[in-house]
Amino acid sequence: MFVRSATALALILGLSGGVYAADPVFPPSSRFGFQPPSDMAPSKRFSGFERLEGGATVSVVELPPNAFAELEQNFTDENLKAQGFAVSSRQAIKVAGDVDAVLFSGEQPGAGTPESPTIKKWLLLVGDPSVTGIIIAQMTPGAETDETMVGMLTGVHIRPALTLEQQVAALPFKIEDKAGFRAVRVLAGNSVLMTQGPKDQMLNLEQPILVLAQAVQPPPAAEQRDAFARAALYSNQTMKDFVIERSQSYRQNGVDWHEIVARAVDVPSSTPVVVSQTIRFAPDGYLRALGVVRADQRGETLARFREVIDSVQVR
């Protein structure tokens, strides 16, 4: 099942006028492309588009193809209203040629003040045979016209699935030295899962794993970074019983870093592991690397984690 709870629906909904370009623009790694108005550009914060002056966004979530039927059934007016989306109309349409879709229109009620206006909102549920898309457009009063936003949604283009190599190439960073690791999966267009070894599916942490993810949001102040890093580490629900071996901030090549090395227990397998978390801070965001290896395999693996991390170049 893909959507069974209000929490899952909230996560999806919370992602939440000009001349059109001649060719569709695809957010990095996305199957769904659009012809945005000239004042909207691909977002660096999420998969989708943002108005340059603010006030309008279009976000994209991709799910397996068999999610469409269940989502269509679960996206009732009552469920959507419970998540703050008051639906005024819904319409079954065709997009990208002959692909089934449902367009929901409505509002996200606000307090009616300049700080909290009522937001116009649209949700396009797309059921391509190879992928399900949830595309959410929203705008504050006067940011765009209704026709612009609806036209952008219903003019969606769907391209074939990207190869893993193409997805890696579209990441907002480049890995210069893989140190024996290889990419297994790209997530959300801004993170990559890597491993060292022949298997793509790893049970009981048979192979080391390393996840690199870039976040575009204001980084914490220097005095808050240790607490921020520890909170990020402890938020991982697949590990428990953390014992920190070292936690330190440092500056390297003009860049601020924070590194934690800790022992923990992998919850699914009860396997003792060693966790390495490195965060590289920038004025407009940060890159987080999380490496996990079985305690009896830590050897040179921690040094290899660091080789990969040190080689990353943000595009």
Side-chain angles (χ1 to χ4, degrees):
M1 295 298 181
F2 293 95
V3 175
R4 282 296 188 197
S5 68
T7 300
L9 190 54
L11 286 172
I12 292 171
L13 290 179
L15 285 171
S16 66
V19 178
Y20 283 90
D23 298 316
V25 179
F26 291 84
S29 297
S30 177
R31 298 280 307 277
F32 297 91
F34 305 84
Q35 293 175 310
S38 59
D39 60 349
M40 294 186 76
S43 174
K44 294 183 178 180
R45 301 185 299 119
F46 55 85
S47 181
F49 296 82
E50 293 183 275
R51 185 169 180 262
L52 301 178
E53 295 79 16
T57 62
V58 172
S59 61
V60 182
V61 176
E62 296 181 20
L63 293 171
N66 56 348
F68 177 78
E70 183 181 347
L71 289 170
E72 185 179 20
Q73 180 179 358
N74 278 275
F75 280 179
T76 64
D77 290 355
E78 294 76 15
N79 284 344
L80 293 172
K81 186 175 183 179
Q83 305 308 322
F85 181 20
V87 176
S88 59
S89 68
R90 67 174 62 208
Q91 180 183 7
I93 62 174
K94 296 286 187 179
V95 298
D98 195 36
V99 175
D100 289 331
V102 182
L103 177 65
F104 301 80
S105 302
E107 295 180 335
Q108 179 176 306
T113 65
E115 297 77 20
S116 180
T118 294
I119 295 172
K120 294 207 105 178
K121 201 162 190 173
W122 297 266
L123 186 156
L124 181 69
L125 179 61
V126 181
D128 184 80
S130 64
V131 64
T132 294
I134 303 172
I135 303 160
I136 301 155
Q138 54 188 25
M139 69 174 188
T140 55
E144 299 284 358
T145 66
D146 291 9
E147 292 77 14
T148 295
M149 299 298 276
V150 172
M152 184 173 171
L153 290 185
T154 57
V156 63
H157 295 251
I158 305 172
R159 64 180 173 180
L162 277 64
T163 66
L164 180 60
E165 291 74 17
Q166 290 172 321
Q167 294 178 59
V168 170
L171 286 167
F173 52 84
K174 182 179 181 181
I175 304 168
E176 300 282 357
D177 182 0
K178 296 184 176 63
F181 283 83
R182 61 186 178 83
V184 174
R185 187 176 308 130
V186 170
L187 306 169
N190 67 349
S191 60
V192 60
L193 169 65
M194 307 178 73
T195 189
Q196 189 178 57
K199 296 183 178 180
D200 289 347
Q201 299 293 330
M202 291 149 281
L203 302 176
N204 302 325
L205 287 173
E206 299 165 294
Q207 299 170 181
I209 61 173
L210 176 63
V211 178
L212 303 173
Q214 183 174 346
V216 180
Q217 61 190 61
E223 65 273 12
Q224 299 172 331
R225 288 175 182 171
D226 185 73
F228 173 83
R230 290 173 185 254
L233 180 69
Y234 297 151
S235 68
N236 191 317
Q237 300 298 309
T238 65
M239 290 180 283
K240 65 178 183 178
D241 300 338
F242 288 94
V243 177
I244 293 180
E245 295 183 353
R246 70 173 184 270
S247 177
Q248 60 184 358
S249 295
Y250 60 97
R251 192 167 178 82
Q252 176 177 291
N253 298 326
V255 177
D256 290 329
W257 301 70
H258 189 282
E259 182 179 61
I260 292 177
V261 174
R263 300 189 303 277
V265 174
D266 176 61
V267 173
S269 64
S270 299
T271 302
V273 297
V274 175
V275 186
S276 171
Q277 175 184 270
T278 305
I279 303 176
R280 185 168 74 183
F281 295 100
D284 59 349
Y286 57 89
L287 178 78
R288 179 176 179 239
L290 186 72
V292 184
V293 59
R294 295 172 65 111
D296 59 1
Q297 297 176 352
R298 66 182 294 172
E300 298 180 354
T301 304
L302 295 185
R304 288 179 180 150
F305 286 158
R306 188 58 184 272
E307 285 182 49
V308 176
I309 297 161
D310 285 348
S311 79
V312 173
Q313 301 294 321
V314 177
R315 300 183 194 276

